[in-house]
Every structure is written in structure tokens, then in C-alpha cells.
Amino acid sequence: MLFPTTIAGSLPKPEWLAEPNMLWAPWKAKGEELARAKRDATLLAVKIQEDAGIDILTEGEQARQHFVHGFLEKVDGIDFAHKVEMGIRKDRYKAMVPQVVAPLKLRGRVHADEVRVARTHTTRKLKFTLPGPMTIADTVADNHYGDRVKMAFAFAELLNEEAKALEADGLDMIQFDEPAFNVFMDEVPVWGIQALERAAQGLKCATAVHICYGYGIKANVDWKETLGSEWRQYEEIFPAIAKSSIQQVAVECRNSKVPLDLLALLKGKKIQAGVIDVASDEVETAEDVCKVIDAVSKFVARSDIIATTNCGMAPMRRDIAEAKLMALGAGARLARQRFS
């Protein structure tokens, strides 16, 4: 099938699970009640995607407050009680972050519950998102390894351990989220790709990397306004990604200033093309989605295009997110009719 659809990962959480329309939304329950609410929200996320005609589902990241910290919560060697201020994404903004204070080790399984719930309740393909090692290393303070690269590879080993277990749970795809890849462009070819490949080592399911310019917070919006009329940062890292063993690359394409001709640098990869703008509440039409798919197809073989969202939709209003999902499904169907 041409133009299968998926989403970058997250969907808004129901108001009975967490505070709506915000990142880091506080949970509305505790203990077993919270666990039940997360399971219910996961089922709802699966059903919403199915109804919209999404082909490769996620669990909507319903059980995680944050795409990085949702993984870190189950890692020993991290001190969450004594956070320190640190510059994130080359000092684009400051944040209070936990510290790595001892050798890193998984405290059992991390995401088994979410994947097993989703896998039990859909027969469609299922993917799961994990933070990439470079992005994790840029989101915690190192007070143990004394070497950011060494720490990133330690995280890569833990990610690989969990990824293999997730694959055994029945996943069809694992996607690593690496927004740091368009910040540390000089380091991506030197060690970033290698750390990512370590995280994906030995996986038999499909593998993907999601890169983006950042969404959801003012610091990212302000930074993007300084980048000019064309965003060519990816030109520096796409050749290295193209040489890697990672099979798919997710890139924002709708209302983005990334020149689509850069996608030709990813020869041999499937492209998850972002055809839904998550920085706008304006709901796309099927025709809008179809036009972006057509534009991408000038540089990527149609058989290698997967239609997706530009980034996660966690802070978005539920009604708008669901309408955008319907547009994604309808637009891909229209593109199949028009370009098959």
C-alpha cells in the first residue's frame, strides 16, 4: 500500500488522566487508579487512531509525562531529588534536570505495560517511541561519567535492552526521537549516529529516527524565528543518517522551512513525512495532506513515503488533534487514489 500513515508518537491525554493542553501535565490520580487511567487512555488512543485510518499505531505515549523522562524514571543511577540547572540544546533554554550520579542500569522493564495493552487491542502494525541517546545526554546532568559521549553510550545500551524486550512484546517498529540531532550537527556524524545504532543493535523490527526543530515550548518557537527563510541544518546530518543502519527517518514537511530537496540526501531510507502541522490549531484538509505528499514525492520514491505528523501532539486540544488525525487518514487515501 502506498503512503501508509502513522503519528510521531504522542497524543493529547484525556482530561480525566492529566491536566489538558500542556506539557508535563500533572496526573489526576495516584497508585492503582492512575495505572487504570493510563490503560484506559491507551485503549482510547488506539481506537482514535484506528477510526482515523492510521495504519501504524502508537500507544499515544499516554503513560508518560515526557518523552525522555518517561524512560529515565525506570533507570537506576539517576538522582531526581537533587536537580540542577542546565542549558538544553546548546543553551537554547535552561531547565532543572536530574543528575546521573552512579552507573546506569535498568530497574526491570520500562514500557512493557503500555505496549502489551496496545498490542492486545489492535491487529494493526504498532510502533513505539524511545528517546535517542544523544537527546537523553542533553537532558540530564553528568555527575558520574565525566564524559558526555561515554554517558550517551551507556544510555544507548539501556535503550537497546528495552528495545529488544519491546520487540519481543510484538512491536513492528521502534522509533528513536533525536531532536538533538539538529543542534549538535558536528557531533552527529562523529558519535551521534554510532550511539543511535548501538541503541538499535540487533533489532529485527523496523527502526526509525525522528528528528525535528522542537515544538511545544516558547524557547523553540523563538529560536526557529531566528533561522531565516530556509532551514538547512539537516543538510549536515542527512548524509550520515543515510549511511546508517536505521531504516526510516521522520522529518517535518508541512508548513516547515526545511527545503524538501534535502530529502534526496536520505537515499535508501523510508521517509516518514510530516504532513500535519502540530504548531497550528488550523485543521488540515485531505487536499492539504495530499499536496505535501505530492511535493515530497518529487524527491522520495512514492513507495518510500509514510505520512505522519510533524511532531508529537501532546499539548494540543483533543478535538483539534483528533480532527487532524482524520485529515491525515483522509489525505493519504486521497493520495493513493490520485497517485496509484
Side-chain angles (χ1 to χ4, degrees):
M1 180 179 66
L2 283 180
F3 318 129
T5 52
T6 189
I7 64 173
S10 67
L11 289 173
K13 294 177 176 64
E15 55 277 3
W16 41 262
L17 172 62
E19 198 68 35
N21 312 130
M22 63 184 296
L23 292 171
W24 287 97
W27 301 119
K28 292 286 190 71
K30 295 180 180 179
E32 185 52 40
E33 183 182 349
L34 176 59
R36 284 196 301 270
K38 288 178 177 180
R39 287 195 293 271
D40 291 347
T42 298
L43 293 180
L44 184 61
V46 167
K47 177 62 173 169
I48 287 169
Q49 290 172 83
E50 287 185 337
D51 289 352
I54 306 305
D55 303 298
I56 306 164
L57 311 185
T58 80
E59 59 6 305
E61 299 184 10
Q62 296 297 294
R64 291 179 265 179
Q65 278 189 312
H66 186 270
F67 81 104
V68 174
H69 292 265
F71 181 78
L72 298 184
E73 287 171 0
K74 297 289 182 70
V75 178
D76 283 334
I78 301 178
D79 181 359
F80 283 91
H82 302 93
K83 292 183 178 179
V84 297
E85 186 177 71
M86 187 178 87
I88 306 290
R89 311 290 183 265
K90 272 193 177 176
D91 281 332
R92 190 187 309 168
Y93 59 94
K94 302 286 186 182
M96 298 300 293
V97 301
Q99 301 183 71
V100 174
V101 296
L104 296 165
K105 183 180 179 182
L106 285 187
R107 193 163 56 250
R109 287 298 309 280
V110 183
H111 297 298
D113 290 346
E114 303 102 287
V115 169
R116 289 169 185 170
V117 168
R119 181 72 284 168
T120 299
H121 290 90
T122 187
T123 58
R124 298 191 189 182
K125 288 186 176 181
L126 188 64
K127 84 171 182 182
F128 196 84
T129 60
L130 292 169
M134 177 177 271
T135 295
I136 298 179
D138 190 47
T139 314
V140 297
D142 177 19
N143 199 14
H144 172 72
Y145 287 92
D147 182 324
R148 192 166 67 102
V149 176
K150 186 176 180 181
M151 181 175 71
F153 274 86
F155 277 118
E157 291 181 15
L158 303 191
L159 288 165
N160 185 248
E161 184 181 336
E162 176 66 9
K164 286 180 176 177
L166 289 167
E167 180 182 60
D169 291 331
L171 283 184
D172 300 282
M173 183 191 304
I174 291 177
Q175 173 183 299
F176 296 94
D177 295 336
E178 281 284 25
F181 268 23
N182 79 344
V183 182
F184 305 101
M185 279 88 68
D186 53 339
E187 297 179 57
V188 170
V190 176
W191 66 266
I193 294 291
Q194 191 179 353
L196 178 62
E197 289 182 316
R198 177 65 187 92
Q201 187 175 313
L203 293 175
K204 297 179 178 63
C205 65
T207 56
V209 61
H210 167 74
I211 53 178
C212 72
Y213 279 78
Y215 295 83
I217 64 172
K218 187 177 184 299
N220 288 332
V221 175
D222 292 346
W223 172 66
K224 287 189 280 189
E225 288 178 354
T226 70
L227 297 179
S229 60
E230 273 199 350
W231 299 349
R232 302 196 69 89
Q233 283 82 358
Y234 292 157
E235 195 165 24
E236 299 181 46
I237 63 170
F238 276 1
I241 295 175
K243 294 175 184 175
S244 77
S245 58
I246 303 299
Q247 299 161 351
Q248 302 186 13
V249 185
V251 184
E252 64 263 64
C253 298
R254 165 78 176 166
N255 291 342
S256 167
K257 295 179 183 178
V258 176
L260 294 182
D261 65 325
L262 296 184
L263 297 175
L265 297 173
L266 291 168
K267 190 173 178 61
K269 304 299 182 188
K270 288 188 179 295
I271 303 301
Q272 293 186 27
V275 298
I276 297 292
D277 183 1
V278 302
S280 168
D281 285 347
E282 180 182 344
V283 177
E284 289 81 358
T285 65
E287 185 65 37
D288 291 333
V289 169
C290 190
K291 284 181 179 177
V292 179
I293 291 173
D294 187 34
V296 170
S297 72
K298 303 294 190 292
F299 307 101
V300 179
R302 288 174 176 167
S303 58
D304 287 336
I305 297 173
I306 298 168
T308 186
T309 57
N310 276 353
C311 196
M313 304 171 87
M316 194 171 279
R317 276 173 37 195
R318 282 180 65 194
D319 58 332
I320 292 173
E322 291 174 23
K324 283 176 174 279
L325 287 185
M326 296 298 290
L328 174 56
R333 288 193 295 273
L334 179 61
R336 286 178 207 124
Q337 294 167 9
R338 192 169 290 176
F339 303 127
S340 293

